[in-house]
Amino acid sequence: MKKVGVIFGGYSVEHEVSVITGMQVMENIDKSKYEVVPIYITKSGKWLTGSSLMEFKNYKDNNFKDVKQIMLSQSLNDHNIYLHPEGSGLFGKKILDKLDIVFPALHGTNGEDGTIQGLFELMNIPYVGGGVLASSVGMDKILMKDVYKSYSLPIVDYMWFYRSNWSKDREDVINKIEEKLGYPVFVKPANLGSSVGINKAKDRDGLISAIEIAVHYDRKIIVEKAVESPREINCAVLGYDNEVITSLCEEPMGWTEILSFEDKYIKGNNKGVKSSGETRRIPADIDETLRIKIEDLAIKAFTSIDCKGTARIDFLLDKDNNVYINEINTLPGSIGFYLWEGKGISIGKLIDKMIDIAIETHKEKNKNMYSYEANLFNRTQYGVKTRKV
């Protein structure tokens, strides 16, 4: 039985969302195939493990009785990750547990952005979800749009700037935005999710206010031309390389200009359609031609950044049903399980498939050669400063 370390929480404004996703993964994973090891990263960045971390009520009460602060080490022999008590020393470390595979359920900064994926790449351990490149590009809205533009995928007009540009000459930034995009626009931190720090600006005063909020969350700010009276349609993709499938499409309901944090995680907590006050419609009320187009674009958005596992791609439709890719979420909240149920893939099966993909892509990675015998040491005279290697 493989041990799966489910990592959640994190040093991020999306901390609470990540805890919910982590709980859902741990509750629904196939216990006959996998043993779960919870790893909770606190808001201050401490790594903890312990059985009480598997009970959601403990997070409400902040009541963790058996947790231990841990650090990780790599085994060079079997490529496992070992959990040790924090401060146990470099030599003779006590081993609390070992992991065969890691399931990051981290949202946003320091988890969904390629940082923790890089750690697992260095440790050469299988991990679920997008790799370093896909995670970092998917997280950075500017780089993401640059990539999609290079693939001729439909996106709204945009421009971006650094926080330092705003501090030095805000008038210049405003003038460039008004000249290139006009109004209305959306102002967003480039590296953040869950609608945090995003605001719509309809005039200069609104633009200044929106930028002042956004610069508190990131050093890079993106400004996008607003789609008027939009509909949002979302579609998930599952797989890797060219072996991918799409989920049902959904349409979030009951929002106006911005799908807020509350819309996503509080109002929309119950899946499906209600008779009144519905939160999301699955499948979305779109015709067959439009559905096929969105599914095709979702696959291209997924594969163009070399993503793996599952991701949700969010689209905007204007009044003429023109389609624009808004963003890709390389780790959707609740892993987007509700999008797959209508295709016969339960949350348990979805988790299983994501783990299978992680194992297969790890095997693929280890087919690469990482050693090249060039005899460079014997051919290089050490200590000669002008010597070129």
Side-chain angles (χ1 to χ4, degrees):
M1 182 178 291
K2 290 185 179 295
K3 284 196 175 184
V4 180
V6 180
I7 305 181
F8 54 95
Y11 185 50
S12 167
V13 298
E14 298 180 73
H15 180 96
E16 286 82 2
V17 180
S18 172
V19 170
I20 293 171
T21 298
M23 292 295 107
Q24 291 174 322
V25 171
M26 291 189 292
E27 288 173 4
N28 292 281
I29 197 169
D30 188 343
K31 305 297 194 306
S32 69
K33 295 176 65 175
Y34 307 107
E35 180 181 345
V36 172
V37 179
I39 300 175
Y40 172 54
I41 304 177
T42 69
K43 289 184 177 181
S44 62
K46 294 180 179 178
W47 292 48
L48 307 176
T49 193
S51 60
S52 63
L53 294 170
M54 300 182 73
E55 295 292 333
F56 184 62
K57 63 180 178 64
N58 292 334
Y59 295 88
K60 297 180 179 180
D61 304 332
N62 196 26
N63 181 25
F64 304 108
K65 295 180 179 179
D66 67 337
V67 297
K68 296 180 177 65
Q69 188 173 346
I70 60 169
M71 57 184 182
L72 308 182
S73 73
Q74 173 196 20
S75 168
L76 297 177
N77 295 321
D78 55 16
H79 302 301
N80 288 318
I81 286 184
Y82 288 91
L83 278 58
H84 309 277
E86 177 67 30
S88 60
L90 181 61
F91 301 103
K93 295 175 183 174
K94 180 180 178 182
I95 297 175
L96 295 175
D97 223 324
K98 74 172 184 175
L99 309 176
D100 298 295
I101 187 168
V102 174
F103 197 122
L106 295 162
H107 296 291
T109 313
N110 301 312
E112 194 181 347
D113 57 2
T115 51
I116 203 164
Q117 290 79 6
L119 173 65
F120 300 136
E121 288 284 350
L122 288 172
M123 289 184 162
N124 196 25
I125 187 172
Y127 62 93
V128 170
V132 175
L133 178 66
S135 299
S136 57
V137 172
M139 188 69 181
D140 190 311
K141 296 178 178 67
I142 299 164
L143 293 177
M144 175 194 70
K145 289 180 183 294
D146 286 347
V147 171
Y148 290 163
K149 184 165 61 175
S150 74
Y151 276 84
S152 300
L153 299 179
I155 54 175
V156 298
D157 289 338
Y158 65 99
M159 61 170 290
W160 67 277
F161 58 91
Y162 291 115
R163 181 164 50 201
S164 58
N165 298 132
W166 180 248
S167 299
K168 292 174 182 176
D169 192 346
R170 62 171 56 192
E171 193 69 23
D172 180 62
V173 171
I174 292 170
N175 288 337
K176 287 178 179 176
I177 293 170
E178 290 179 334
E179 180 181 342
K180 180 174 181 179
L181 302 177
Y183 295 103
V185 292
F186 281 102
V187 180
K188 305 177 180 180
N191 290 277
L192 211 59
S194 296
S195 301
V196 175
I198 298 176
N199 285 280
K200 187 176 184 180
K202 301 177 181 179
D203 52 35
R204 177 170 281 216
D205 288 342
L207 179 63
I208 293 171
S209 176
I211 294 174
E212 286 292 335
I213 293 171
V215 295
H216 282 84
Y217 292 100
D218 197 10
R219 60 184 278 271
K220 294 167 67 178
I221 309 301
I222 185 169
V223 184
E224 302 172 352
K225 183 69 176 176
V227 176
E228 289 298 323
S229 303
R231 294 173 65 189
E232 179 173 340
I233 306 294
N234 303 327
C235 181
V237 177
L238 175 68
Y240 70 103
D241 288 356
N242 294 314
E243 301 296 323
V244 295
I245 58 173
T246 56
S247 71
L248 295 177
C249 292
E250 72 157 336
E251 180 175 7
M253 308 298 293
W255 63 285
T256 53
E257 294 182 339
I258 301 175
L259 194 60
S260 68
F261 185 96
E262 288 76 14
D263 291 328
K264 289 182 177 180
Y265 301 115
I266 299 175
K267 294 178 185 177
N269 195 40
N270 297 317
K271 62 182 182 297
V273 176
K274 300 176 182 177
S275 57
S276 62
E278 60 185 340
T279 58
R280 57 167 60 104
R281 182 174 291 157
I282 305 175
D285 185 16
I286 54 178
D287 63 39
E288 186 76 358
T289 301
L290 188 54
R291 178 189 65 78
I292 293 171
K293 181 177 183 179
I294 288 174
E295 289 180 357
D296 180 62
L297 287 172
I299 290 173
K300 290 176 180 176
F302 184 90
T303 56
S304 66
I305 65 168
D306 195 24
C307 202
K308 62 176 180 164
T310 189
R312 191 191 73 236
I313 297 87
D314 299 345
F315 298 87
L316 294 175
L317 302 182
D318 66 15
K319 63 182 186 307
D320 298 318
N321 277 344
N322 294 309
V323 182
Y324 303 95
I325 299 174
N326 189 34
E327 63 179 350
I328 184 171
N329 297 273
T330 56
L331 181 68
S334 304
I335 60 174
F337 72 90
Y338 47 87
L339 293 169
W340 295 101
E341 289 182 319
K343 290 221 168 175
I345 302 176
S346 66
I347 184 171
K349 289 181 180 178
L350 179 61
I351 293 168
D352 215 24
K353 288 178 180 291
M354 293 173 72
I355 292 174
D356 287 343
I357 290 168
I359 293 171
E360 286 303 312
T361 54
H362 182 253
K363 290 178 181 177
E364 186 71 22
K365 171 194 171 184
N366 285 322
K367 291 179 182 178
N368 298 340
M369 290 184 62
Y370 295 95
S371 177
Y372 180 72
E373 298 299 331
N375 198 27
L376 191 59
F377 294 155
N378 292 329
R379 295 163 57 189
T380 302
Q381 183 178 352
Y382 177 75
V384 180
K385 293 183 178 180
T386 57
R387 180 81 174 186
K388 290 185 178 180
V389 176

